[in-house]
Amino acid sequence: MTSISAPTPEAVSPAVKDKVIIITGAASGIGFATARLFASLGAQVVIADLDEDTGTQAAREIGHNCAFIKCDVTYWQEQLDLFRVTQSKYGKIDVVVCNAGIDPEIVSAGPSTEKAVREAKSQVGFNFLADEVDEEMGGLLKRPSTVVLDVNVSGVIYGIKLAVHYMSKAGGGRIIVIGSAASYVAVPEQSIYCASKHAVLGLVRATSNRAEMKENNISVSMVAPWLTATPMTNGIDPKLNVLASTSVDVGWAVAFMATMPLKEVNGKSIWVQGQSYTEVEDSISECYSQLIR
């Protein structure tokens, strides 16, 4: 595995100045920190989020280099509109950050003594193995929700497809998917979230090797943050003694993927833990080469 140094503002600013960057799920957390970082370095940022009030406020806080477009990434039509409006307004789309994601199972990572945590573990919306029954279906076992897959997987598929469509007509671009440490490691009580993040890792790996990417000068890469201090992780048991990253730490990894030479980032994944950055896909590829004979 290869340790990476975070880029400096002096290195990133010339590379992103006047670039048009779409970031989904950017009203708060990692998306907001990344949007603010790029805007501060001279990029034109489009925040896309389902939360209209928070998204509007986020764009206002960032300032003149930022606009907000309401978008539910699970709806194809809304992502179509997001890209169409951005292209129409700015004339190009240079970078797309597929950041929008949810993790309702994270409630179960709270202190086990809390009533809310115990109740969550008995509901399939938070624990797909819970023996919750559907009273409207005569007491039959309730179907697990697929909303995590709708947001975390389908939303990314839509975003990548649209990004490639627009970038291929404009000479290229960069796509960065926000994965997770859960793309690589098991988090038992967040099984569906893990499945979704493993899925987007596979999507990035396979898509990065497609002919369309090379032919059109487009890269797709991933950033895999370890536990990050965001509104989504507020409920995690504070007794867990782990090195958490800040949203800004993750933003700098995104900046690396958006500005380094395309051949150096396509198909790569940066594990972020605190201010430690590690590229992991090259080492994993070496393992595959030993398995496939």
Side-chain angles (χ1 to χ4, degrees):
M1 289 181 283
T2 305
S3 294
I4 293 170
S5 298
T8 63
E10 293 76 18
V12 173
S13 184
V16 302
K17 183 174 174 55
D18 299 325
K19 299 288 187 182
V20 177
I21 302 176
I22 293 175
I23 307 176
T24 64
S28 63
I30 290 170
F32 174 73
T34 304
R36 182 165 56 185
L37 173 63
F38 278 127
S40 72
L41 296 172
Q44 174 61 55
V45 179
V46 176
I47 287 178
D49 203 284
L50 179 60
D51 187 335
E52 186 168 13
D53 290 340
T54 306
T56 301
Q57 177 57 38
R60 186 179 299 118
E61 181 178 337
I62 290 173
H64 69 279
N65 280 1
C66 186
F68 170 73
I69 297 176
K70 184 179 180 181
C71 178
D72 182 339
V73 297
T74 67
Y75 287 92
W76 172 247
Q77 185 62 52
E78 293 199 16
Q79 288 221 47
L80 270 175
D81 291 343
L82 166 65
F83 279 77
R84 179 183 56 79
V85 170
T86 301
Q87 176 70 29
S88 176
K89 184 174 181 178
Y90 300 108
K92 61 177 182 173
I93 298 170
D94 298 295
V95 179
V96 172
V97 183
C98 297
N99 168 74
I102 60 171
D103 183 12
E105 294 167 302
I106 203 167
V107 173
S108 63
S112 59
T113 55
E114 290 188 3
K115 181 181 178 181
V117 173
R118 296 196 302 272
E119 290 179 349
K121 289 182 177 181
S122 68
Q123 301 171 30
V124 293
F126 305 97
N127 170 19
F128 87 106
L129 294 180
D131 285 332
E132 185 180 5
V133 298
D134 191 335
E135 299 297 345
E136 295 182 359
M137 295 294 292
L140 296 176
L141 200 61
K142 194 169 186 178
R143 180 185 70 87
S145 171
T146 59
V147 66
V148 173
L149 302 178
D150 295 338
V151 176
N152 296 5
V153 183
S154 296
V156 174
I157 292 172
Y158 296 166
I160 291 176
K161 177 178 174 63
L162 286 161
V164 171
H165 173 76
Y166 282 96
M167 291 173 181
S168 64
K169 301 178 186 306
R174 305 297 180 91
I175 305 167
I176 300 108
V177 174
I178 305 301
S180 169
S183 298
Y184 294 97
V185 301
V187 186
E189 292 184 336
Q190 298 176 51
S191 306
I192 305 302
Y193 179 76
C194 278
S196 73
K197 291 303 184 179
H198 274 69
V200 294
L201 172 58
L203 181 65
V204 168
R205 285 173 172 167
T207 305
S208 69
N209 284 287
R210 292 184 64 116
E212 296 95 328
M213 309 303 280
K214 183 176 182 180
E215 291 167 358
N216 293 296
N217 198 38
I218 302 170
S219 70
V220 59
S221 57
M222 195 175 86
V223 171
W226 182 246
L227 179 65
T228 306
T230 69
M232 189 171 74
T233 60
N234 281 343
I236 289 182
D237 191 339
K239 294 179 182 177
L240 293 175
N241 185 23
V242 295
L243 176 60
S245 307
T246 68
S247 295
V248 175
D249 294 332
V250 181
W252 280 112
V254 175
F256 180 93
M257 292 301 202
T259 58
M260 292 299 289
L262 186 143
K263 290 183 178 180
E264 295 181 20
V265 298
N266 188 45
K268 307 302 184 184
S269 176
I270 298 179
W271 176 288
V272 182
Q273 187 166 10
Q275 294 183 342
S276 174
Y277 303 92
T278 307
E279 202 293 310
V280 296
E281 285 297 292
D282 283 345
S283 295
I284 292 173
S285 295
E286 290 178 8
C287 294
Y288 294 154
S289 66
Q290 297 175 35
L291 292 170
I292 301 172
R293 298 189 178 95

